[in-house]
Amino acid sequence: MNILVIMTGGTISCVKDGDWITPDETRTYVLLDHYRQTHKDTDAEFETVVPYTTLSEQLSSEHLNKLIACVREHKDNGYDGIIITHGTDTLQYTAAALQFVFGAHSLPIVLVSSNYPLGDRRANGHRNFAAAVAFIRSKTGKGTFVSYKNADLVTRIHRATRLLTHPETGDDVYSLGRAPYAVCEDDVIIKNTAYRRGGIGKAYENTVFSENAGVLAVSMCPGDTYAYDLAAVKAVLIRPYHSGTLNTAGEAFRAFCKRAVEKHIPLFVVDVPKGDGSYASSKAFDGLGLTVLPFSAFVPMYMKLWLAVSLGEDIRGFALTPLAEEFLTDEL
């Protein structure tokens, strides 16, 4: 089994230097050595490539484009899968981008990270890497995934376009609907029978992400003036309160929506749960020009809108078209 390991930096490639955590390119090789030592009977052979090294909070279009080009260059070279080492801060953003670009039928691409530097006994990086190898070996899924062990000590495999943002001040990783693609127990992959499949469209392997996303992300907060500059905005993505509600009666919010509509900027609302019992404030959505997206998560939809802007696509039509299982359906 041949696996390409693409190293991009992040905590999994860092060391503790006094009071600071800093990148050290040699640390990822420690990751490989540890795997070989703990899996002496493995048939896995690794090749490595380093397109760039950065802390993941510095992720930019330049990094995304370098990584996409790297995957595109190597994906057809006979590998059984690709593992990408990445930081946790923007793990979900890069993972979603790769799933949209290479589609749900590509060879397995698994992103792994670590909550602490590998020298820290609390680090989950070694476990995440081993689970990624086990997933590729199992041949139970195609497309892009994230392997991650949460504080509950369960290592889960997540579909890249179903990832939620991290809980506040925490590093645990969760999937939309709390339904990961699979779990890994003692290097055995157990597919989640409750995982709901989603629609699949075309891939966009020749994508070059634009320097700026052109997407204004707005989170509901009491007292916000919504006085955002819309000059360079191509789309607005709104995160409601937890129950899927917006302050549709607020004059400032209504004026903001009106400004966007007048400029022909589409307004999308994400994180709106399916089901009965919508609040009365939601009745105003249509009148304010708001498009409620099919049940999906914020980060994947942000990256999908950035992709639409980069491709010059009709943004509303592109956003509503299933591409890579980003929408949670009722189909098992």
Side-chain angles (χ1 to χ4, degrees), residues 156-207:
R156 298 173 176 87
I157 307 295
H158 302 270
R159 171 64 81 184
T161 45
R162 296 280 178 88
L163 290 167
L164 301 176
T165 55
H166 292 295
E168 285 191 281
T169 73
D171 58 69
D172 281 355
V173 174
Y174 295 99
S175 286
L176 188 67
R178 293 299 193 269
Y181 188 85
V183 297
C184 181
E185 296 182 1
D186 298 323
D187 291 339
V188 175
I189 300 299
I190 304 169
K191 199 164 180 180
N192 181 12
T193 57
Y195 178 82
R196 302 182 199 174
R197 294 178 295 177
I200 294 174
K202 63 180 293 187
Y204 293 88
E205 292 191 10
N206 294 318
T207 295

Side-chain angles (χ1 to χ4, degrees), residues 307-323:
L307 177 61
V309 171
S310 302
L311 294 170
E313 295 276 351
D314 171 71
I315 296 175
R316 180 172 282 104
F318 194 86
L320 293 171
T321 301
L323 293 183

Side-chain angles (χ1 to χ4, degrees), residues 241-306:
Y241 295 114
H242 81 94
S243 55
T245 58
L246 307 173
N247 181 14
T248 55
E251 292 184 8
F253 181 70
R254 295 177 69 88
F256 166 70
C257 293
K258 182 179 180 181
R259 284 196 297 128
V261 169
E262 289 175 346
K263 292 179 176 292
H264 305 289
I265 299 171
L267 294 150
F268 299 103
V269 186
V270 73
D271 292 341
V272 178
K274 296 173 61 178
D276 299 329
S278 296
Y279 289 85
S281 57
S282 302
K283 294 180 181 179
F285 283 8
D286 289 342
L288 292 175
L290 299 168
T291 298
V292 177
L293 293 164
F295 193 35
S296 49
F298 167 75
V299 169
M301 294 313 302
Y302 179 89
M303 298 308 294
K304 188 178 183 181
L305 293 176
W306 189 355

Side-chain angles (χ1 to χ4, degrees), residues 6 8 52 54-61 63-65 67-68 71 84-102 109-112 144-146 160-161 163 209 299-300 302-303 306:
I6 301 178
T8 69
Y52 61 85
T54 188
L55 293 171
S56 69
E57 63 266 30
Q58 297 168 350
L59 181 70
S60 67
S61 60
H63 298 115
L64 282 176
N65 291 329
L67 182 55
I68 290 167
V71 172
I84 299 171
T85 63
H86 198 282
T88 56
D89 282 350
T90 53
L91 177 69
Q92 295 93 329
Y93 292 86
T94 297
L98 292 173
Q99 172 79 350
F100 285 128
V101 168
F102 293 104
I109 301 169
V110 189
L111 280 77
V112 299
T144 304
F145 301 87
V146 165
T161 45
L163 290 167
F209 276 89
V299 169
Y302 179 89
M303 298 308 294
W306 189 355

Side-chain angles (χ1 to χ4, degrees), residues 215-229:
V215 182
L216 173 63
V218 176
S219 293
M220 281 289 104
C221 296
D224 194 341
T225 63
Y226 300 99
Y228 301 106
D229 183 359

